[in-house]
Amino acid sequence: MHTLTRAEAVARADLLRVDGYDLELDLTAARTSAEFGSSTRVRFSLREPAAAAAGGTATFAEMKPVALHELRLNGRALDPAGLDGNRLALDGLGPSNELVATATMRYSNTGEGLHRFTDPEDGEVYLYAQTFLDDAQRMFACFDQPDLKAPVRLVVLAPPDWVVRANGAGTRTAPGRWEFTETAPLATYFVTVVAGPYHLVEDSHDGIALGLLARRSLGPYLQADAGEIFEVTKSCLDRYHELFADRYPFGKYDQAFVPEFNAGAMENPGCVTFRDEFVYRSAVTDAERELRAVVIAHEMAHMWFGDLVTMRWWDDLWLNESFAEYMGYRVTAEATRFTQAWTSFAVGRKSWGYAADQRPSTHPVAPSDVADTGLALLNFDGISYAKGASVLRQLVAWVGEEAFLTGLRAYFAAHAYANASLADLLAALSTASGRDLAGWARLWLRREQVNTLHPQVTADAGGTLARVSVIQTAPAQAPTLRPHRVGIGVYAPPAGREADPDAPVTLVRRVEVDLDPAAPDGRTDIPALTGVPAGRLLLVNDGDLTYAKIRFTDADRAALPTVLPRVADPLARAVIWAAAADATRDADWPATEYLTLAIAALPVETQLAVFEDALRFARATVLNRYLAPALRPAAAARLHAACRQMLVEATAGSGRQLSAARGAIGCGGPAEAAGLAGWLTGDDVPAGLVVDPELRWTVLHRLVVLGRAGEAEIAAEAGRDRSARAAEHAARSRAAIADPAAKARAWEAIVADDTASARLVAASAEGFWQPEQDELTAVYVARYFEQMPAMTGRRTPHAARQIAAAAYPQYAVSTATVDAAEALLGRDDIDPLLRRVVVDATDELRRSVRARS
């Protein structure tokens, strides 16, 4: 198959415009067949009609059929055998043209193209289309690039009892026949259809029809959550209308929760698709509900950033994802009950950006060139999302709220239903703000890596600050210093309670300053803090305005285990937790220091998103990868005890109790196994804690890892819970069985089973490696590097990336594993996607090696 290059896309966009697609999809045999019918009529014209008269022109369209039955260009039959991989050569073009293609296509089980899923609970078949990034050609003949937008008219033939939704409003014109209104111009990667016996809930708001869809087996859970989902949706619509002064532009607004989705969600205009794990069948915390609200707001932001105004090519991906990430968190915090969304961003999401930006694979937020669609897929990472959103937050702090929104409104008005680039947006913002943003863009958008901000403090004998400075540094391989608008906070107990160990630590003085990148030695003095009492903590980047790593003075760092539990502001705590994790990743702090901080502060951490992210880092990274194996059991016991303390003190039935229970399970060792097993039979379950299906699988998986459960228990649980989620849990748990034969079966499924869905194979990969099973899995370390290239070559891009990342031997922490990875990376013939996975995972492995040393 051919990958579309940027040069080819530019040439094709210069040559032609697409006037419209007429599509018909025949899904009537979906219950029994792995294939479907596709008929396309695409109308397109030459931008310079005189070129046709001057001797004709040629281009190509894309399609990936099982069989191509009919192909006609301007009424002239073309030989279907002329299909070259996924390309249809088109020559002899006139000023106006029509391509007709009739084909048989194949459903996928990887979340690419038209995905087909059979629900194990009731045997019903469900379909949905995911045409991102260049997978529209898996459904219909098209010019598959973002800057050839065109209206779409769709007809779908389906079983008569099915619900069918798509981008436009649909009408059932006959049993099983659905006709959809012509859409506004869409990029091909937004075209979708959702079809099956879906449970449907409908509502409306401000003249906009709203719909929610999920599988019938999830219907009761969708019904239970519909009120909250609609409330978030309506509040976000109102806020976007207010901010952008431009109404939602695509008519109705459906949100479909679909099975085995390979991302979080997809912003198809008029019909957004989400992974159906967002329909909760078991108890969840408010942190999880907040995440769902953020994703809803994120996808809604795309209706303007990406859908109404679309990037010309994938080098401007940030115009989509960075803006949607920023607006998603902002609007969630402003318009819903989840007012602390930025706190969650600071401790979790932003750390994803910092990690990605420090790897060998780092890239600018807005790279100057993305050569082809294969490379474009690699840039959907923490840089394009979290770093980009952080950079935008810094921009708003710099130019001001009014100028930012004025520029965005002008940008939407100038490029509505068309395409735009970085230069177009910067021009609109520059005009609105009166600032030349070229220099800002060069430093923040065109250059990679992250700065570190180090406070330097001198205090007099009375504890008053005599001099405060912030020194900005950059890594040697990317020595760019940047202008930072940054808050600096002084935190202290209330006056008169300085000696009280239980007194809250609150903000007593805060200044905002601009750090000067041209200052000698990167040092910016903060004279506004001279003469201020030193307090207990000086926090750089208070308010989390900028994108930068921070450090603490030696005195503040030493005091954190006693100070952090008392810091009253959740956002300040989030900044501290994130900085502590970053210092540990960099091996500036020993792993034991982070664990000491976690054990001291986690039991009293009230912000669940902060608790969950900090505990996740403590357990999954510090405990399982950074600590020497001999130190793990004692450290795990201390973390388990901290979680048990929180579990005992939490309100019965609260999200805090559930978070603590999950933490206790994850940190449980052999000594705790009997108690955990009792939860499955109802013994000694904390009052108010419901051991529902998801929590049962969490307990069982941990028992399997510890060797206290196996195939019999997994089969029994799978018999109790026949859901799609249970199938993934069972695959993950079977791969975790501490038995050579079980490991051999799981490994064969990971590297050789090309028939199972990508989600099930990835679940096996997630369960395979366990830090408690190093000796058992040691032989598979070499096999990973030997066998992943062949697996990647057989799998589709999304599936290969998902499986290869999950199957990496992350717990085999040794220089020998690093050497094996380097040997694979030294080959010239490995797929770029696998290369990226191995480069990133090996960088994390090197950090683990450094941490242990």
Side-chain angles (χ1 to χ4, degrees):
M1 296 293 176
H2 300 274
T3 298
L4 184 68
T5 69
R6 177 179 181 173
E8 290 172 326
V10 169
R12 190 161 62 176
D14 286 344
L15 175 68
L16 59 87
R17 68 172 57 88
V18 183
D19 302 309
Y21 288 95
D22 294 322
L23 309 177
E24 181 172 297
L25 302 177
D26 186 352
L27 315 178
T28 53
R31 285 191 167 111
T32 57
S33 176
E35 299 173 347
F36 64 96
S38 171
S39 298
T40 308
R41 183 179 69 171
V42 54
R43 292 163 279 113
F44 62 101
S45 52
L46 298 183
R47 293 190 181 276
E48 299 293 339
T57 55
T59 188
F60 60 90
E62 291 104 335
M63 194 178 197
K64 295 180 177 179
V66 175
L68 184 52
H69 307 301
E70 181 185 19
L71 192 62
R72 305 185 71 85
L73 178 62
N74 297 331
R76 168 171 56 93
L78 302 180
D79 184 359
L83 178 68
D84 178 14
N86 60 327
R87 291 191 173 181
L88 304 168
L90 308 175
D91 57 13
L93 301 178
S96 297
N97 304 274
E98 181 179 274
L99 172 67
V100 175
T102 304
T104 297
M105 314 294 281
R106 180 171 285 113
Y107 296 112
S108 82
N109 64 358
T110 61
E112 295 157 294
L114 194 53
H115 184 95
R116 180 178 181 272
F117 173 81
T118 301
D119 191 334
E121 285 193 81
D122 57 16
E124 293 284 6
V125 170
Y126 295 87
L127 311 176
Y128 64 89
Q130 170 75 331
T131 54
F132 172 86
L133 172 150
D134 57 353
D135 282 330
Q137 57 198 271
R138 294 179 181 273
M139 279 179 59
F140 58 94
C142 57
F143 300 103
D144 210 357
Q145 63 187 71
D147 59 344
L148 289 176
K149 300 171 72 170
V152 176
R153 289 191 299 229
L154 174 66
V155 173
V156 175
L157 307 178
D161 59 325
W162 277 18
V163 172
V164 183
R165 292 292 172 110
N167 302 99
T171 303
R172 196 194 316 250
T173 58
R177 180 181 175 87
W178 292 77
E179 297 183 10
F180 293 87
T181 57
E182 183 175 79
T183 69
L186 303 181
T188 48
Y189 77 92
F190 293 137
V191 177
T192 196
V193 62
V194 175
Y198 281 91
H199 182 82
L200 173 65
V201 185
E202 295 181 291
D203 200 346
S204 64
H205 178 69
D206 193 18
I208 301 168
L210 306 176
L212 304 176
L213 296 89
R215 289 175 286 133
R216 278 183 184 169
S217 59
L218 291 175
Y221 308 110
L222 178 65
Q223 201 72 41
D225 270 2
E228 179 176 298
I229 296 172
F230 278 137
E231 180 182 359
V232 169
T233 301
K234 295 172 184 179
S235 298
C236 291
L237 279 169
D238 289 344
R239 185 60 177 149
Y240 281 122
H241 289 163
E242 181 182 3
L243 290 172
F244 297 157
D246 186 15
R247 283 184 58 79
Y248 167 68
F250 296 104
K252 54 92 174 176
Y253 198 76
D254 289 329
Q255 297 175 99
F257 297 87
V258 297
E260 296 189 326
F261 203 64
N262 64 23
M266 180 63 202
E267 65 268 23
N268 314 300
C271 189
V272 181
T273 44
F274 298 80
R275 58 170 49 218
D276 63 12
E277 287 86 347
F278 283 124
V279 177
Y280 304 125
R281 69 189 192 115
S282 293
V284 294
T285 68
D286 258 10
E288 290 162 294
R289 293 186 180 277
E290 177 191 80
L291 175 60
R292 181 173 66 186
V294 168
V295 175
I296 289 171
H298 175 114
E299 302 310 319
M300 192 180 292
H302 274 307
M303 299 301 132
W304 290 266
F305 290 107
D307 296 7
L308 178 66
V309 182
T310 307
M311 61 193 168
R312 291 198 177 97
W313 181 247
W314 300 103
D315 50 3
D316 276 327
L317 171 66
W318 84 288
L319 290 175
N320 286 16
E321 298 304 345
S322 299
F323 276 88
E325 184 87 347
Y326 167 74
M327 296 305 306
Y329 277 93
R330 172 178 171 163
V331 167
T332 298
E334 293 176 350
T336 77
R337 69 183 178 92
F338 303 106
T339 56
Q340 295 294 323
W342 280 120
T343 299
S344 305
F345 178 84
V347 74
R349 197 70 167 176
K350 199 170 183 181
S351 295
W352 178 40
Y354 289 143
D357 206 15
Q358 295 174 81
R359 291 177 181 142
S361 61
T362 185
H363 58 84
V365 171
S368 57
D369 184 43
V370 175
D372 58 43
T373 53
L375 294 176
L377 180 61
L378 303 181
N379 286 347
F380 282 80
D381 58 14
I383 297 171
S384 296
Y385 286 76
K387 180 181 180 179
S390 303
V391 166
L392 286 172
R393 203 172 184 206
Q394 174 75 180
L395 177 63
V396 175
W398 189 47
V399 302
E401 171 82 1
E402 184 177 349
F404 180 72
L405 292 176
T406 299
L408 293 188
R409 293 165 182 168
Y411 172 74
F412 295 143
H415 305 285
Y417 303 106
N419 297 85
S421 67
L422 168 64
D424 297 320
L425 179 65
L426 292 180
L429 292 174
S430 294
T431 299
S433 66
R435 292 176 179 258
D436 181 0
L437 297 183
W440 175 88
R442 182 176 66 256
L443 296 175
W444 280 107
L445 301 179
R446 294 300 198 192
R447 296 183 184 175
E448 67 278 2
Q449 268 284 355
V450 58
N451 300 123
T452 304
L453 307 182
H454 308 260
Q456 287 205 346
V457 175
T458 302
D460 61 25
T464 299
L465 296 174
R467 184 185 184 188
V468 176
S469 304
V470 175
I471 298 177
Q472 178 184 179
T473 62
Q477 68 272 26
T480 299
L481 300 184
R482 297 177 175 87
H484 293 268
R485 181 72 175 175
V486 62
I488 301 173
V490 177
Y491 285 77
R497 298 185 64 186
E498 291 85 357
D500 183 351
D502 297 320
V505 174
T506 59
L507 180 68
V508 294
R509 182 66 181 273
R510 183 177 189 272
V511 298
E512 281 191 18
V513 297
D514 293 312
L515 302 186
D516 182 3
D521 301 320
R523 178 191 296 270
T524 301
D525 284 325
I526 318 296
L529 291 177
T530 300
V532 173
R536 291 292 176 83
L537 173 69
L538 183 80
L539 184 59
V540 178
N541 202 22
D542 187 57
D544 198 38
L545 293 180
T546 197
Y547 175 82
K549 305 197 303 177
I550 69 164
R551 294 294 186 259
F552 303 96
T553 67
D554 290 343
D556 285 351
R557 172 181 163 183
L560 279 180
T562 58
V563 171
L564 176 57
R566 298 159 54 197
V567 172
D569 179 45
L571 181 56
R573 295 198 306 273
V575 172
I576 295 167
W577 279 113
D582 181 78
T584 308
R585 286 186 75 251
D586 285 352
D588 287 351
W589 291 16
T592 51
E593 185 172 347
Y594 186 90
L595 287 177
T596 297
L597 182 64
I599 290 161
L602 280 175
V604 295
E605 178 53 64
T606 57
Q607 197 73 20
L608 284 187
V610 175
F611 171 82
E612 290 170 2
D613 273 293
L615 178 61
R616 186 180 301 114
F617 183 76
R619 183 174 61 83
T621 301
V622 179
L623 183 67
N624 289 346
R625 290 173 18 216
Y626 288 3
L627 275 188
L631 301 178
R632 287 191 68 256
R638 293 172 66 204
L639 269 180
H640 177 82
C643 292
R644 290 292 304 197
Q645 177 187 341
M646 181 172 168
L647 180 59
V648 168
E649 296 172 354
T651 302
S654 65
R656 182 174 173 80
Q657 183 190 48
L658 178 57
S659 286
R662 291 170 176 168
I665 294 166
C667 299
E672 292 79 35
L676 293 178
W679 287 8
L680 297 180
T681 57
D683 296 335
D684 296 322
V685 178
L689 181 68
V690 179
V691 186
D692 53 28
E694 287 298 309
L695 198 61
R696 290 184 63 84
W697 279 111
T698 301
V699 171
L700 179 57
H701 179 78
R702 187 61 187 158
L703 293 174
V704 168
V705 170
L706 294 173
R708 303 303 176 90
E711 176 56 39
E713 290 81 3
I714 296 169
E717 194 65 29
R720 175 199 298 265
D721 181 2
R722 298 184 179 277
S723 67
R725 285 283 287 162
E728 293 181 29
H729 285 309
R732 188 176 296 109
S733 295
R734 287 190 169 102
I737 294 175
D739 172 74
K743 290 297 183 187
R745 288 191 297 270
W747 189 255
E748 188 66 13
I750 293 165
V751 301
D753 188 351
D754 299 334
T755 60
S757 77
R759 286 284 289 274
L760 285 175
V761 175
S764 293
E766 290 164 5
F768 187 86
W769 302 99
Q770 300 295 332
E772 296 86 353
Q773 300 172 357
D774 282 348
E775 292 184 8
L776 183 61
T777 55
V779 66
Y780 292 95
V781 175
R783 293 185 188 179
Y784 175 90
F785 299 106
E786 293 166 1
Q787 295 179 283
M788 278 301 115
M791 185 283 295
T792 305
R794 295 192 310 272
R795 282 286 193 171
T796 56
H798 283 282
R801 185 182 192 180
Q802 188 177 17
I803 295 166
Y808 188 91
Q810 60 177 315
Y811 301 124
V813 180
S814 70
T815 55
T817 308
V818 173
D819 291 343
E822 292 293 354
L824 175 61
L825 294 172
R827 291 171 46 177
D828 295 330
D829 60 341
I830 68 169
D831 185 278
L833 184 148
L834 177 61
R835 180 179 296 279
R836 173 66 175 271
V837 167
V838 174
V839 163
D840 288 351
T842 304
D843 182 62
E844 291 298 318
L845 190 70
R846 287 194 191 93
R847 290 179 179 273
S848 300
V849 172
R850 285 198 298 272
R852 288 193 181 184
S853 65

